[in-house]
Amino acid sequence: MTNVLVVEGDACAAEAMEHDLRRQGYTTRSVDTGARALHAARDADLVLLSLELDDIDGLEVCRSVRSGADTPLIAVTDRDDGLERVLALRAGADDCVVRTWGFREIGARIDAVLRRSRGAAAAGARAISLRPLHIDPLRREVRLHDRLVPVTSKEFDLLHALAVNPETVVSRTELMATVWDSNWACTSRTIDTHVSSLRAKLGSGRWITTVRGVGYRMGYAGGRAPELLGASEMPEAS
């Protein structure tokens, strides 16, 4: 059973969310503060985090959860605001939903995030080396110069989608379908936010190349062609 942690300061809203998630087959627990969320997140399979909390700013909670683990996290906002969603994604959320969208769509997005986070390991995909960049789908790890790069679940999926066929340009539509399981109207902003974040974390914009009017392809900041590796050949943590 998938364990979803609901982080919600409003007791009635938390109860309603838990009730609906249980009807959809999830096990749940809820906490009402950011401090409790930071402690409880380590035992959750997915965190559903309200950005409106009384003790700690929701975006700061999101950053703290993400810095400590790769637990899938969906932010919930009261405002249908593009900037709010961008800030949540930059803080490390795998998705950001508006509370007014309703439980059915929120549940569908939970399913999509969990599928993406578990899919690569279940498929037994082989590791990719674009030296000095290494991408391991089994461990869901990205290493650059043998150092672990902290990426979110969506950032990993986006990078892997580009690296698996590094010579191929991947369209925005294909990336949204593959990584976000969606055809949102806000495609450009969503993808651009994640690409910008990945470039910053990898320390160079050359790792991901923009093909204007089409999409993106993998670059070669390290100057080496890609290799497929077995998981045992991936570099270990130093």
Side-chain angles (χ1 to χ4, degrees):
M1 297 284 288
T2 299
N3 180 28
V4 177
L5 175 67
V6 176
V7 184
E8 174 58 69
D10 184 314
C12 291
E15 183 179 357
M17 181 67 72
E18 282 199 274
H19 175 72
D20 194 77
L21 289 173
R22 287 169 183 158
R23 288 180 58 192
Q24 296 182 52
Y26 298 105
T27 59
T28 69
R29 64 171 295 195
S30 66
V31 295
D32 58 2
T33 67
R36 290 173 179 164
L38 295 178
H39 177 74
R42 68 190 70 173
D43 298 320
D45 296 313
L46 181 139
V47 177
L48 195 60
L49 170 68
S50 170
L51 296 180
E52 288 78 30
L53 299 172
D54 292 334
D55 62 330
I56 305 175
D57 179 73
L59 293 175
E60 186 58 38
V61 175
C62 185
R63 293 187 191 97
S64 297
V65 170
R66 177 58 62 233
S67 67
D70 194 32
T71 305
L73 186 150
I74 298 177
V76 181
T77 177
D78 289 336
R79 294 176 291 180
D80 191 359
D81 183 344
L83 177 59
E84 184 90 343
R85 291 194 290 274
V86 169
L87 290 175
L89 294 171
R90 286 180 173 171
D94 296 295
D95 202 349
C96 184
V97 301
V98 181
R99 195 183 304 276
T100 55
W101 285 356
F103 293 133
R104 181 173 295 181
E105 181 162 358
I106 292 175
R109 291 188 179 277
I110 290 174
D111 289 342
V113 167
L114 288 171
R115 281 199 308 273
R116 288 191 295 271
S117 68
R118 296 168 175 171
R126 299 190 69 186
I128 298 170
S129 178
L130 297 133
R131 301 183 188 276
L133 180 66
H134 302 272
I135 303 164
D136 186 348
L138 292 176
R139 298 173 182 169
R140 293 188 67 78
E141 287 183 351
V142 177
R143 291 184 178 275
L144 182 62
H145 296 291
D146 295 339
R147 294 182 179 273
L148 186 66
V149 179
V151 295
T152 69
S153 179
K154 273 198 176 70
E155 287 170 353
F156 182 91
D157 290 337
L158 174 58
L159 187 63
H160 185 267
L162 295 172
V164 72
N165 291 301
E167 301 294 341
T168 302
V169 178
V170 185
S171 71
R172 292 172 177 271
T173 300
E174 184 177 350
L175 286 172
M176 286 303 295
T178 301
V179 180
W180 281 268
D181 194 24
S182 173
N183 58 356
W184 289 357
C186 55
T187 296
S188 294
R189 177 175 293 179
T190 301
I191 295 177
D192 291 347
T193 297
H194 283 76
V195 167
S196 176
S197 178
L198 276 171
R199 284 169 170 165
K201 291 179 179 181
L202 295 174
S204 173
R206 294 175 60 198
W207 280 115
I208 301 177
T209 301
T210 301
V211 180
R212 293 188 180 279
V214 183
Y216 296 95
R217 67 172 175 83
M218 204 68 198
Y220 294 99
R224 293 284 298 275
E227 303 171 16
L228 289 178
L229 302 175
S232 62
E233 298 175 84
M234 287 294 290
E236 298 294 335
S238 47

